[in-house]
Amino acid sequence: MSTLEIRNLQVSVDTDNGTVEILKGVDLTIKSGETHAIMGPNGSGKSTLAYSIAGHPKYTITGGSVTLDGIDVLEMTVDERAKAGLFLAMQYPVEVPGVSVSNFLRTAATALRGEAPKLRTWVGEVKDAMEALNMDPSFATRNVNEGFSGGEKKRHEIMQLELLKPKMAILDETDSGLDVDALRIVSEGVNRAKAANNLGVILITHYTRILRYIQPDFVHVFANGRVVEQGGPELAEKLEANGYADYVSK
Amino acid sequence: MSVLTTNYLTPTGREEAWRFTPLKRLRGLHDGLAIQSDRETLITKGALPSGVSFVRENLEPLASSDDVIIERVRGAATSVAHLAIAANTELAEPIFLGRSAGALDTAEFSRVRITLGTHAVATVIVENTTDTVLAEDLEIYCAPGSNLKFVTLQEFESKSVYTARHHAVVDKDATFKSITVTVGGDVVRILPTVEFKAPGASADLLGVYFATAGQFFEHRMHVDHAVPHAKSNVNYKGALAGKDAHTVWIGDVLIRAAAEGTDTYELNRNLLLSDGARADSVPNLEIETGEIIGAGHASTTGRFDDEQLFYLMSRGIAMADARRLVVRGFFNEIVSEIGNEEIQTRIMDRIDTELEKAAHHG
């Protein structure tokens, strides 16, 4: 049982026009097995929250805390956060030219498990994970995210989620750019990871459609760098009907 | 041929061709002060297959040269080491040439010829591993319909000075592909040059280089499109790390008026892995006819991509391993073209070592 606690998190970013405060005090508590949907209009700071927790160097933490089972996450390097059990499925996964998917996955698994996975079982593990997400075996020999379609990139992210078995996953707009079939396949992968590892999930999305496939326990509405309303799944239905207009004008 | 023994124009460093080269470190190769040794160090590794010969003989140069060191080599060398692959010989395995003997107090002036007969197919790999001072005039002739993959590995020891021209004359419908790897030596200056003799010829010039503290590596390409319907592609990738690591890449491509239907592209990418290193990259495209299929060039010099490192590290991969993956990936595109597992592993391991050394010295 793990708990990710975000307390009064304040984050700014340096731009050409000076420092801009993006997160203005975010509080969230996520426990193993829970799924928290974070919904909000563009520019409300949802992705900043995701990248700040993962430790992207672009963002400066100006206040507050993030802890995983009481241990300070913000003090950790990016790789240490992954080793502690955090995972970020990115909205725009990065191309790494010349590095094959299979080499990348094995390097990551070796780092996270503390030893190289046994080749025999590993090959099977990767094959199963790829098949589960309807990915062609040739994927393994391609370079990481290079020339991948939008849908392929997202499936590759969720495949990593299943293979690397984190405690807490942040899914940053995993639904964006997916057609209905891909959305279903990707969602099933997330649900498998939840069931297999009692995964805690922060599901960041602009739209409600992914929530038909991945059932949230809690819904948080994000606007202007903070959580402005919280509720259960019924809140998502209200947003579906009314949009974000109520929150943006506040 | 008659040789002028005087009037070599010693470069001063102000000439376009020499403006980047640290002349003082050339150990007298450029100004005639180097003491010529009579060593002839190029040897073949293993037995030669049938259809292949390697002899020393007298041969006229294939092409003229305006490089002063090449002129000196032609004046000084008494014979040419000639690897000949007979017409219609198709070799499944590469031929290995190499230099593993040398000296620093004297200089070797060496002429080398590689000849592919009509429709011959071969891979030739040259391994340079010693500590030496070497000026080399290496000429290649690809007869009509032949196909040569030419790999040179500059894995010299740290004090070596190597200046060379690798000049290929590519005839009708012949395919020439070179892969130039420069990872060792104090000063390495290579002129990979190509001239097309007849239509249908193509050349792929690939290269990688990795310079660490104090090393100077220069690759000065020249591709001469003087005939119609020839194709060339240049792709060189370099990394630099450490104080005063310096690389130079010059990509001269000339499309003459007669060269209609030319298709050419050249690319040079450099990765600066630390402060204090300098990469010069100058593509030059000169076009005298508009009747071409394509002509382009690109040159980039940058640092580690933070987004790539973040992505890898967010999967638990430590910074040093992430950097190693990115650098290996950067070079992999070209190193994998060598097509020999053992050599590819050796070059990648060497790159890892250089990277590690650089990390320790900042």
Side-chain angles (χ1 to χ4, degrees), chain A residues 56 78-79 82-83 87-88 90 95 97-99 104 108 111 145 157 160, chain B residues 307-308 310-319 325-326 328-330 332:
Chain A
H56 194 288
V78 175
D79 56 311
K83 285 176 187 126
F87 181 87
L88 170 62
M90 296 188 198
E95 294 182 6
V99 178
F104 163 62
N145 293 318
E157 294 292 285
Q160 295 169 52
Chain B
E307 298 300 326
Q308 287 178 0
F310 173 72
Y311 187 75
L312 296 171
M313 291 177 71
S314 78
R315 272 45 175 161
I317 299 168
M319 174 73 96
L325 265 185
V326 169
R328 277 182 162 250
F330 177 73
N332 187 47

PDB file of all heavy atoms in Angstrom, chain A residues 56 78-79 82-83 87-88 90 95 97-99 104 108 111 145 157 160, chain B residues 307-308 310-319 325-326 328-330 332:
ATOM      1  N   HIS A  56      10.912  17.104 -14.270  1.00  0.00           N
ATOM      2  CA  HIS A  56      11.449  17.757 -15.468  1.00  0.00           C
ATOM      3  C   HIS A  56      12.203  19.035 -15.079  1.00  0.00           C
ATOM      4  O   HIS A  56      11.690  19.853 -14.311  1.00  0.00           O
ATOM      5  CB  HIS A  56      10.318  18.087 -16.439  1.00  0.00           C
ATOM      6  CG  HIS A  56      10.816  18.447 -17.801  1.00  0.00           C
ATOM      7  ND1 HIS A  56      11.460  19.633 -18.066  1.00  0.00           N
ATOM      8  CD2 HIS A  56      10.814  17.759 -18.985  1.00  0.00           C
ATOM      9  CE1 HIS A  56      11.809  19.680 -19.345  1.00  0.00           C
ATOM     10  NE2 HIS A  56      11.425  18.547 -19.918  1.00  0.00           N
ATOM     11  N   VAL A  78      15.600  12.518 -11.391  1.00  0.00           N
ATOM     12  CA  VAL A  78      14.515  11.978 -12.214  1.00  0.00           C
ATOM     13  C   VAL A  78      14.503  10.449 -12.177  1.00  0.00           C
ATOM     14  O   VAL A  78      13.454   9.818 -12.016  1.00  0.00           O
ATOM     15  CB  VAL A  78      14.649  12.493 -13.678  1.00  0.00           C
ATOM     16  CG1 VAL A  78      13.607  11.847 -14.577  1.00  0.00           C
ATOM     17  CG2 VAL A  78      14.527  14.009 -13.707  1.00  0.00           C
ATOM     18  N   ASP A  79      15.690   9.845 -12.301  1.00  0.00           N
ATOM     19  CA  ASP A  79      15.742   8.376 -12.319  1.00  0.00           C
ATOM     20  C   ASP A  79      15.418   7.798 -10.945  1.00  0.00           C
ATOM     21  O   ASP A  79      14.818   6.717 -10.842  1.00  0.00           O
ATOM     22  CB  ASP A  79      17.099   7.873 -12.818  1.00  0.00           C
ATOM     23  CG  ASP A  79      18.266   8.409 -12.017  1.00  0.00           C
ATOM     24  OD1 ASP A  79      18.320   9.634 -11.796  1.00  0.00           O
ATOM     25  OD2 ASP A  79      19.126   7.608 -11.607  1.00  0.00           O
ATOM     26  N   ALA A  82      11.717   7.406 -10.602  1.00  0.00           N
ATOM     27  CA  ALA A  82      11.222   6.198 -11.274  1.00  0.00           C
ATOM     28  C   ALA A  82      11.524   4.971 -10.424  1.00  0.00           C
ATOM     29  O   ALA A  82      10.688   4.073 -10.289  1.00  0.00           O
ATOM     30  CB  ALA A  82      11.867   6.077 -12.658  1.00  0.00           C
ATOM     31  N   LYS A  83      12.720   4.958  -9.830  1.00  0.00           N
ATOM     32  CA  LYS A  83      13.098   3.813  -9.000  1.00  0.00           C
ATOM     33  C   LYS A  83      12.232   3.736  -7.745  1.00  0.00           C
ATOM     34  O   LYS A  83      11.994   2.651  -7.205  1.00  0.00           O
ATOM     35  CB  LYS A  83      14.580   3.879  -8.628  1.00  0.00           C
ATOM     36  CG  LYS A  83      15.479   3.515  -9.806  1.00  0.00           C
ATOM     37  CD  LYS A  83      16.960   3.669  -9.484  1.00  0.00           C
ATOM     38  CE  LYS A  83      17.796   3.452 -10.734  1.00  0.00           C
ATOM     39  NZ  LYS A  83      18.708   4.572 -11.003  1.00  0.00           N
ATOM     40  N   PHE A  87       5.782   6.770 -12.329  1.00  0.00           N
ATOM     41  CA  PHE A  87       5.841   6.616 -13.782  1.00  0.00           C
ATOM     42  C   PHE A  87       5.022   7.715 -14.425  1.00  0.00           C
ATOM     43  O   PHE A  87       3.911   8.005 -14.001  1.00  0.00           O
ATOM     44  CB  PHE A  87       5.280   5.252 -14.197  1.00  0.00           C
ATOM     45  CG  PHE A  87       5.319   4.998 -15.679  1.00  0.00           C
ATOM     46  CD1 PHE A  87       6.446   4.445 -16.271  1.00  0.00           C
ATOM     47  CD2 PHE A  87       4.228   5.314 -16.486  1.00  0.00           C
ATOM     48  CE1 PHE A  87       6.490   4.211 -17.648  1.00  0.00           C
ATOM     49  CE2 PHE A  87       4.269   5.090 -17.866  1.00  0.00           C
ATOM     50  CZ  PHE A  87       5.398   4.530 -18.440  1.00  0.00           C
ATOM     51  N   LEU A  88       5.591   8.324 -15.468  1.00  0.00           N
ATOM     52  CA  LEU A  88       4.855   9.340 -16.220  1.00  0.00           C
ATOM     53  C   LEU A  88       4.664   8.861 -17.654  1.00  0.00           C
ATOM     54  O   LEU A  88       5.640   8.651 -18.377  1.00  0.00           O
ATOM     55  CB  LEU A  88       5.635  10.665 -16.212  1.00  0.00           C
ATOM     56  CG  LEU A  88       5.128  11.772 -17.153  1.00  0.00           C
ATOM     57  CD1 LEU A  88       3.709  12.199 -16.802  1.00  0.00           C
ATOM     58  CD2 LEU A  88       6.068  12.977 -17.130  1.00  0.00           C
ATOM     59  N   MET A  90       3.832  10.046 -21.069  1.00  0.00           N
ATOM     60  CA  MET A  90       3.878  11.415 -21.572  1.00  0.00           C
ATOM     61  C   MET A  90       2.892  11.666 -22.690  1.00  0.00           C
ATOM     62  O   MET A  90       2.549  10.775 -23.464  1.00  0.00           O
ATOM     63  CB  MET A  90       5.290  11.717 -22.062  1.00  0.00           C
ATOM     64  CG  MET A  90       6.297  11.679 -20.917  1.00  0.00           C
ATOM     65  SD  MET A  90       7.906  12.247 -21.403  1.00  0.00           S
ATOM     66  CE  MET A  90       8.862  11.535 -20.050  1.00  0.00           C
ATOM     67  N   GLU A  95      11.431  11.206 -29.127  1.00  0.00           N
ATOM     68  CA  GLU A  95      12.184  10.327 -30.024  1.00  0.00           C
ATOM     69  C   GLU A  95      13.626  10.217 -29.550  1.00  0.00           C
ATOM     70  O   GLU A  95      14.229  11.217 -29.174  1.00  0.00           O
ATOM     71  CB  GLU A  95      12.184  10.900 -31.442  1.00  0.00           C
ATOM     72  CG  GLU A  95      10.816  10.909 -32.080  1.00  0.00           C
ATOM     73  CD  GLU A  95      10.852  11.435 -33.511  1.00  0.00           C
ATOM     74  OE1 GLU A  95      11.951  11.690 -34.028  1.00  0.00           O
ATOM     75  OE2 GLU A  95       9.760  11.583 -34.084  1.00  0.00           O
ATOM     76  N   PRO A  97      16.802   8.824 -31.325  1.00  0.00           N
ATOM     77  CA  PRO A  97      17.341   8.216 -32.537  1.00  0.00           C
ATOM     78  C   PRO A  97      18.438   7.197 -32.230  1.00  0.00           C
ATOM     79  O   PRO A  97      19.259   7.409 -31.338  1.00  0.00           O
ATOM     80  CB  PRO A  97      17.923   9.406 -33.314  1.00  0.00           C
ATOM     81  CG  PRO A  97      17.237  10.603 -32.758  1.00  0.00           C
ATOM     82  CD  PRO A  97      16.943  10.283 -31.325  1.00  0.00           C
ATOM     83  N   GLY A  98      18.419   6.114 -32.971  1.00  0.00           N
ATOM     84  CA  GLY A  98      19.494   5.124 -32.872  1.00  0.00           C
ATOM     85  C   GLY A  98      19.386   4.186 -31.688  1.00  0.00           C
ATOM     86  O   GLY A  98      20.212   3.291 -31.542  1.00  0.00           O
ATOM     87  N   VAL A  99      18.387   4.381 -30.821  1.00  0.00           N
ATOM     88  CA  VAL A  99      18.221   3.501 -29.663  1.00  0.00           C
ATOM     89  C   VAL A  99      16.959   2.650 -29.888  1.00  0.00           C
ATOM     90  O   VAL A  99      15.864   3.192 -29.985  1.00  0.00           O
ATOM     91  CB  VAL A  99      18.093   4.305 -28.359  1.00  0.00           C
ATOM     92  CG1 VAL A  99      17.865   3.377 -27.169  1.00  0.00           C
ATOM     93  CG2 VAL A  99      19.328   5.164 -28.141  1.00  0.00           C
ATOM     94  N   PHE A 104      16.202  -0.074 -25.173  1.00  0.00           N
ATOM     95  CA  PHE A 104      15.672   0.902 -24.215  1.00  0.00           C
ATOM     96  C   PHE A 104      14.918   0.204 -23.073  1.00  0.00           C
ATOM     97  O   PHE A 104      15.164   0.471 -21.884  1.00  0.00           O
ATOM     98  CB  PHE A 104      14.761   1.878 -24.974  1.00  0.00           C
ATOM     99  CG  PHE A 104      13.825   2.679 -24.115  1.00  0.00           C
ATOM    100  CD1 PHE A 104      14.298   3.564 -23.159  1.00  0.00           C
ATOM    101  CD2 PHE A 104      12.450   2.567 -24.298  1.00  0.00           C
ATOM    102  CE1 PHE A 104      13.420   4.306 -22.385  1.00  0.00           C
ATOM    103  CE2 PHE A 104      11.574   3.307 -23.520  1.00  0.00           C
ATOM    104  CZ  PHE A 104      12.057   4.176 -22.558  1.00  0.00           C
ATOM    105  N   ALA A 108      15.994   0.060 -19.147  1.00  0.00           N
ATOM    106  CA  ALA A 108      15.114   0.595 -18.107  1.00  0.00           C
ATOM    107  C   ALA A 108      14.782  -0.482 -17.072  1.00  0.00           C
ATOM    108  O   ALA A 108      14.843  -0.240 -15.856  1.00  0.00           O
ATOM    109  CB  ALA A 108      13.831   1.142 -18.747  1.00  0.00           C
ATOM    110  N   ALA A 111      17.689  -1.067 -14.821  1.00  0.00           N
ATOM    111  CA  ALA A 111      17.862   0.012 -13.845  1.00  0.00           C
ATOM    112  C   ALA A 111      16.835  -0.108 -12.719  1.00  0.00           C
ATOM    113  O   ALA A 111      17.162   0.049 -11.540  1.00  0.00           O
ATOM    114  CB  ALA A 111      17.727   1.365 -14.543  1.00  0.00           C
ATOM    115  N   ASN A 145      10.298   5.749 -30.339  1.00  0.00           N
ATOM    116  CA  ASN A 145       9.352   6.796 -30.750  1.00  0.00           C
ATOM    117  C   ASN A 145       9.632   7.419 -32.116  1.00  0.00           C
ATOM    118  O   ASN A 145       8.903   8.304 -32.550  1.00  0.00           O
ATOM    119  CB  ASN A 145       9.250   7.918 -29.692  1.00  0.00           C
ATOM    120  CG  ASN A 145       8.608   7.420 -28.409  1.00  0.00           C
ATOM    121  OD1 ASN A 145       7.633   6.686 -28.457  1.00  0.00           O
ATOM    122  ND2 ASN A 145       9.168   7.789 -27.275  1.00  0.00           N
ATOM    123  N   GLU A 157       3.952   3.837 -24.547  1.00  0.00           N
ATOM    124  CA  GLU A 157       3.980   4.338 -23.166  1.00  0.00           C
ATOM    125  C   GLU A 157       3.293   3.356 -22.215  1.00  0.00           C
ATOM    126  O   GLU A 157       3.802   3.042 -21.143  1.00  0.00           O
ATOM    127  CB  GLU A 157       3.297   5.715 -23.063  1.00  0.00           C
ATOM    128  CG  GLU A 157       3.985   6.845 -23.796  1.00  0.00           C
ATOM    129  CD  GLU A 157       5.312   7.224 -23.173  1.00  0.00           C
ATOM    130  OE1 GLU A 157       5.338   7.865 -22.110  1.00  0.00           O
ATOM    131  OE2 GLU A 157       6.343   6.849 -23.759  1.00  0.00           O
ATOM    132  N   GLN A 160       5.198   0.232 -21.530  1.00  0.00           N
ATOM    133  CA  GLN A 160       6.207   0.444 -20.484  1.00  0.00           C
ATOM    134  C   GLN A 160       5.573   0.401 -19.094  1.00  0.00           C
ATOM    135  O   GLN A 160       6.146  -0.143 -18.154  1.00  0.00           O
ATOM    136  CB  GLN A 160       6.907   1.790 -20.686  1.00  0.00           C
ATOM    137  CG  GLN A 160       7.719   1.883 -21.953  1.00  0.00           C
ATOM    138  CD  GLN A 160       8.155   3.306 -22.222  1.00  0.00           C
ATOM    139  OE1 GLN A 160       8.723   3.968 -21.358  1.00  0.00           O
ATOM    140  NE2 GLN A 160       7.881   3.799 -23.411  1.00  0.00           N
TER     141      GLN A 160
ATOM    142  N   GLU B 307      15.356  16.815 -23.429  1.00  0.00           N
ATOM    143  CA  GLU B 307      14.112  16.044 -23.455  1.00  0.00           C
ATOM    144  C   GLU B 307      14.407  14.548 -23.603  1.00  0.00           C
ATOM    145  O   GLU B 307      13.733  13.718 -22.991  1.00  0.00           O
ATOM    146  CB  GLU B 307      13.212  16.520 -24.607  1.00  0.00           C
ATOM    147  CG  GLU B 307      12.762  17.970 -24.493  1.00  0.00           C
ATOM    148  CD  GLU B 307      11.950  18.259 -23.222  1.00  0.00           C
ATOM    149  OE1 GLU B 307      11.207  17.373 -22.786  1.00  0.00           O
ATOM    150  OE2 GLU B 307      12.090  19.368 -22.679  1.00  0.00           O
ATOM    151  N   GLN B 308      15.419  14.223 -24.412  1.00  0.00           N
ATOM    152  CA  GLN B 308      15.794  12.804 -24.555  1.00  0.00           C
ATOM    153  C   GLN B 308      16.298  12.257 -23.223  1.00  0.00           C
ATOM    154  O   GLN B 308      15.923  11.161 -22.805  1.00  0.00           O
ATOM    155  CB  GLN B 308      16.882  12.634 -25.614  1.00  0.00           C
ATOM    156  CG  GLN B 308      16.367  12.816 -27.032  1.00  0.00           C
ATOM    157  CD  GLN B 308      17.472  12.686 -28.060  1.00  0.00           C
ATOM    158  OE1 GLN B 308      18.635  12.463 -27.730  1.00  0.00           O
ATOM    159  NE2 GLN B 308      17.107  12.836 -29.325  1.00  0.00           N
ATOM    160  N   PHE B 310      15.675  13.381 -20.238  1.00  0.00           N
ATOM    161  CA  PHE B 310      14.569  13.316 -19.283  1.00  0.00           C
ATOM    162  C   PHE B 310      13.718  12.071 -19.535  1.00  0.00           C
ATOM    163  O   PHE B 310      13.349  11.355 -18.595  1.00  0.00           O
ATOM    164  CB  PHE B 310      13.703  14.578 -19.376  1.00  0.00           C
ATOM    165  CG  PHE B 310      12.449  14.497 -18.544  1.00  0.00           C
ATOM    166  CD1 PHE B 310      12.511  14.578 -17.156  1.00  0.00           C
ATOM    167  CD2 PHE B 310      11.203  14.324 -19.140  1.00  0.00           C
ATOM    168  CE1 PHE B 310      11.361  14.486 -16.383  1.00  0.00           C
ATOM    169  CE2 PHE B 310      10.061  14.238 -18.378  1.00  0.00           C
ATOM    170  CZ  PHE B 310      10.134  14.317 -17.001  1.00  0.00           C
ATOM    171  N   TYR B 311      13.432  11.819 -20.792  1.00  0.00           N
ATOM    172  CA  TYR B 311      12.603  10.655 -21.126  1.00  0.00           C
ATOM    173  C   TYR B 311      13.257   9.369 -20.631  1.00  0.00           C
ATOM    174  O   TYR B 311      12.618   8.534 -19.978  1.00  0.00           O
ATOM    175  CB  TYR B 311      12.371  10.598 -22.639  1.00  0.00           C
ATOM    176  CG  TYR B 311      11.390   9.522 -23.066  1.00  0.00           C
ATOM    177  CD1 TYR B 311      10.031   9.691 -22.868  1.00  0.00           C
ATOM    178  CD2 TYR B 311      11.829   8.348 -23.669  1.00  0.00           C
ATOM    179  CE1 TYR B 311       9.125   8.714 -23.250  1.00  0.00           C
ATOM    180  CE2 TYR B 311      10.931   7.372 -24.057  1.00  0.00           C
ATOM    181  CZ  TYR B 311       9.574   7.559 -23.846  1.00  0.00           C
ATOM    182  OH  TYR B 311       8.681   6.587 -24.223  1.00  0.00           O
ATOM    183  N   LEU B 312      14.534   9.213 -20.919  1.00  0.00           N
ATOM    184  CA  LEU B 312      15.233   7.984 -20.511  1.00  0.00           C
ATOM    185  C   LEU B 312      15.321   7.892 -18.988  1.00  0.00           C
ATOM    186  O   LEU B 312      15.091   6.835 -18.399  1.00  0.00           O
ATOM    187  CB  LEU B 312      16.631   7.951 -21.129  1.00  0.00           C
ATOM    188  CG  LEU B 312      16.660   7.877 -22.666  1.00  0.00           C
ATOM    189  CD1 LEU B 312      18.076   8.067 -23.187  1.00  0.00           C
ATOM    190  CD2 LEU B 312      16.090   6.552 -23.149  1.00  0.00           C
ATOM    191  N   MET B 313      15.635   9.008 -18.345  1.00  0.00           N
ATOM    192  CA  MET B 313      15.783   8.986 -16.883  1.00  0.00           C
ATOM    193  C   MET B 313      14.445   8.753 -16.195  1.00  0.00           C
ATOM    194  O   MET B 313      14.393   8.130 -15.127  1.00  0.00           O
ATOM    195  CB  MET B 313      16.424  10.287 -16.397  1.00  0.00           C
ATOM    196  CG  MET B 313      17.892  10.419 -16.807  1.00  0.00           C
ATOM    197  SD  MET B 313      18.611  11.994 -16.298  1.00  0.00           S
ATOM    198  CE  MET B 313      18.705  11.751 -14.522  1.00  0.00           C
ATOM    199  N   SER B 314      13.371   9.220 -16.817  1.00  0.00           N
ATOM    200  CA  SER B 314      12.046   9.024 -16.202  1.00  0.00           C
ATOM    201  C   SER B 314      11.666   7.547 -16.199  1.00  0.00           C
ATOM    202  O   SER B 314      10.689   7.154 -15.575  1.00  0.00           O
ATOM    203  CB  SER B 314      10.985   9.844 -16.930  1.00  0.00           C
ATOM    204  OG  SER B 314      10.607   9.215 -18.135  1.00  0.00           O
ATOM    205  N   ARG B 315      12.451   6.726 -16.888  1.00  0.00           N
ATOM    206  CA  ARG B 315      12.260   5.272 -16.867  1.00  0.00           C
ATOM    207  C   ARG B 315      13.292   4.600 -15.967  1.00  0.00           C
ATOM    208  O   ARG B 315      13.566   3.407 -16.107  1.00  0.00           O
ATOM    209  CB  ARG B 315      12.343   4.713 -18.288  1.00  0.00           C
ATOM    210  CG  ARG B 315      11.027   4.710 -19.052  1.00  0.00           C
ATOM    211  CD  ARG B 315      10.242   5.978 -18.940  1.00  0.00           C
ATOM    212  NE  ARG B 315       9.047   6.004 -19.766  1.00  0.00           N
ATOM    213  CZ  ARG B 315       8.039   6.822 -19.562  1.00  0.00           C
ATOM    214  NH1 ARG B 315       8.055   7.688 -18.561  1.00  0.00           N
ATOM    215  NH2 ARG B 315       6.998   6.809 -20.349  1.00  0.00           N
ATOM    216  N   GLY B 316      13.922   5.403 -15.125  1.00  0.00           N
ATOM    217  CA  GLY B 316      14.819   4.820 -14.133  1.00  0.00           C
ATOM    218  C   GLY B 316      16.271   4.743 -14.561  1.00  0.00           C
ATOM    219  O   GLY B 316      17.133   4.299 -13.798  1.00  0.00           O
ATOM    220  N   ILE B 317      16.572   5.187 -15.795  1.00  0.00           N
ATOM    221  CA  ILE B 317      17.945   5.079 -16.304  1.00  0.00           C
ATOM    222  C   ILE B 317      18.772   6.250 -15.767  1.00  0.00           C
ATOM    223  O   ILE B 317      18.381   7.410 -15.899  1.00  0.00           O
ATOM    224  CB  ILE B 317      17.927   5.062 -17.850  1.00  0.00           C
ATOM    225  CG1 ILE B 317      17.118   3.846 -18.340  1.00  0.00           C
ATOM    226  CG2 ILE B 317      19.342   5.046 -18.408  1.00  0.00           C
ATOM    227  CD1 ILE B 317      16.786   3.875 -19.822  1.00  0.00           C
ATOM    228  N   ALA B 318      19.904   5.939 -15.126  1.00  0.00           N
ATOM    229  CA  ALA B 318      20.735   6.982 -14.511  1.00  0.00           C
ATOM    230  C   ALA B 318      21.334   7.891 -15.579  1.00  0.00           C
ATOM    231  O   ALA B 318      21.503   7.491 -16.728  1.00  0.00           O
ATOM    232  CB  ALA B 318      21.845   6.336 -13.684  1.00  0.00           C
ATOM    233  N   MET B 319      21.660   9.113 -15.172  1.00  0.00           N
ATOM    234  CA  MET B 319      22.167  10.142 -16.091  1.00  0.00           C
ATOM    235  C   MET B 319      23.298   9.625 -16.986  1.00  0.00           C
ATOM    236  O   MET B 319      23.256   9.780 -18.207  1.00  0.00           O
ATOM    237  CB  MET B 319      22.643  11.355 -15.279  1.00  0.00           C
ATOM    238  CG  MET B 319      23.328  12.434 -16.083  1.00  0.00           C
ATOM    239  SD  MET B 319      22.182  13.379 -17.110  1.00  0.00           S
ATOM    240  CE  MET B 319      21.877  14.782 -16.046  1.00  0.00           C
ATOM    241  N   LEU B 325      23.524   6.028 -23.798  1.00  0.00           N
ATOM    242  CA  LEU B 325      22.521   5.548 -24.763  1.00  0.00           C
ATOM    243  C   LEU B 325      22.327   6.547 -25.898  1.00  0.00           C
ATOM    244  O   LEU B 325      22.275   6.168 -27.067  1.00  0.00           O
ATOM    245  CB  LEU B 325      21.168   5.342 -24.065  1.00  0.00           C
ATOM    246  CG  LEU B 325      20.783   3.964 -23.554  1.00  0.00           C
ATOM    247  CD1 LEU B 325      19.352   3.999 -23.030  1.00  0.00           C
ATOM    248  CD2 LEU B 325      20.908   2.897 -24.618  1.00  0.00           C
ATOM    249  N   VAL B 326      22.230   7.822 -25.526  1.00  0.00           N
ATOM    250  CA  VAL B 326      21.992   8.850 -26.541  1.00  0.00           C
ATOM    251  C   VAL B 326      23.180   8.951 -27.507  1.00  0.00           C
ATOM    252  O   VAL B 326      22.997   9.029 -28.727  1.00  0.00           O
ATOM    253  CB  VAL B 326      21.705  10.218 -25.880  1.00  0.00           C
ATOM    254  CG1 VAL B 326      21.727  11.341 -26.906  1.00  0.00           C
ATOM    255  CG2 VAL B 326      20.353  10.184 -25.168  1.00  0.00           C
ATOM    256  N   ARG B 328      25.508   6.607 -28.137  1.00  0.00           N
ATOM    257  CA  ARG B 328      25.536   5.380 -28.942  1.00  0.00           C
ATOM    258  C   ARG B 328      24.477   5.446 -30.039  1.00  0.00           C
ATOM    259  O   ARG B 328      24.727   5.072 -31.180  1.00  0.00           O
ATOM    260  CB  ARG B 328      25.255   4.163 -28.063  1.00  0.00           C
ATOM    261  CG  ARG B 328      26.467   3.655 -27.341  1.00  0.00           C
ATOM    262  CD  ARG B 328      26.108   2.427 -26.523  1.00  0.00           C
ATOM    263  NE  ARG B 328      27.306   1.695 -26.181  1.00  0.00           N
ATOM    264  CZ  ARG B 328      27.629   0.498 -26.684  1.00  0.00           C
ATOM    265  NH1 ARG B 328      26.823  -0.109 -27.514  1.00  0.00           N
ATOM    266  NH2 ARG B 328      28.748  -0.079 -26.344  1.00  0.00           N
ATOM    267  N   GLY B 329      23.292   5.911 -29.674  1.00  0.00           N
ATOM    268  CA  GLY B 329      22.212   6.019 -30.646  1.00  0.00           C
ATOM    269  C   GLY B 329      22.572   6.975 -31.769  1.00  0.00           C
ATOM    270  O   GLY B 329      22.317   6.709 -32.942  1.00  0.00           O
ATOM    271  N   PHE B 330      23.202   8.078 -31.389  1.00  0.00           N
ATOM    272  CA  PHE B 330      23.628   9.100 -32.349  1.00  0.00           C
ATOM    273  C   PHE B 330      24.562   8.490 -33.399  1.00  0.00           C
ATOM    274  O   PHE B 330      24.416   8.709 -34.595  1.00  0.00           O
ATOM    275  CB  PHE B 330      24.315  10.211 -31.561  1.00  0.00           C
ATOM    276  CG  PHE B 330      24.885  11.332 -32.379  1.00  0.00           C
ATOM    277  CD1 PHE B 330      24.060  12.263 -32.984  1.00  0.00           C
ATOM    278  CD2 PHE B 330      26.263  11.466 -32.517  1.00  0.00           C
ATOM    279  CE1 PHE B 330      24.598  13.306 -33.715  1.00  0.00           C
ATOM    280  CE2 PHE B 330      26.804  12.509 -33.254  1.00  0.00           C
ATOM    281  CZ  PHE B 330      25.967  13.433 -33.864  1.00  0.00           C
ATOM    282  N   ASN B 332      25.033   5.202 -33.926  1.00  0.00           N
ATOM    283  CA  ASN B 332      24.615   3.878 -34.395  1.00  0.00           C
ATOM    284  C   ASN B 332      24.192   3.867 -35.861  1.00  0.00           C
ATOM    285  O   ASN B 332      24.493   2.927 -36.601  1.00  0.00           O
ATOM    286  CB  ASN B 332      23.470   3.365 -33.510  1.00  0.00           C
ATOM    287  CG  ASN B 332      23.112   1.941 -33.827  1.00  0.00           C
ATOM    288  OD1 ASN B 332      23.985   1.084 -33.940  1.00  0.00           O
ATOM    289  ND2 ASN B 332      21.835   1.681 -34.028  1.00  0.00           N
TER     290      ASN B 332
END
